[in-house]
Amino acid sequence: MTDEELLVEFALTRLDHPGADLEDVAELVVRRLGEERMVEFASRTLAARDELRGALFPAAVEHVLRVVLTLRGPAD
């Protein structure tokens, strides 16, 4: 999944849950995309941190948040 596809998925999920904060939306995205994507996202986070292991779900959520915040650009 590309970062742009992930951003679209995040935006669609946020539309479905307008009152949720960014971390809650990221958790919903990880759950919605399934176990295979969760492992993919977690592995990207752990590789970026240069770690061999970590908790799967929180690492996947961290990846989603990092991508969203990076592509969103600097705050005004």
Side-chain angles (χ1 to χ4, degrees):
M1 174 172 261
T2 66
D3 289 349
E4 290 79 12
E5 291 170 327
L6 181 56
L7 189 61
V8 169
E9 186 66 37
F10 186 90
L12 292 173
T13 303
R14 192 158 190 201
L15 286 173
D16 291 342
H17 302 88
D21 68 6
L22 293 179
E23 188 169 353
D24 291 339
V25 175
E27 290 175 1
L28 291 168
V29 167
V30 170
R31 286 189 181 105
R32 181 182 277 184
L33 293 177
E35 206 170 287
E36 190 174 313
R37 293 288 185 201
M38 180 171 46
V39 171
E40 175 189 340
F41 296 158
S43 68
R44 289 183 189 180
T45 294
L46 297 174
R49 283 201 231 144
D50 200 25
E51 293 183 30
L52 294 176
R53 61 180 139 167
L56 191 63
F57 186 77
V61 171
E62 182 181 328
H63 172 73
V64 172
L65 284 173
R66 188 170 355 110
V67 167
V68 168
L69 294 175
T70 300
L71 292 179
R72 192 167 107 175
D76 291 335

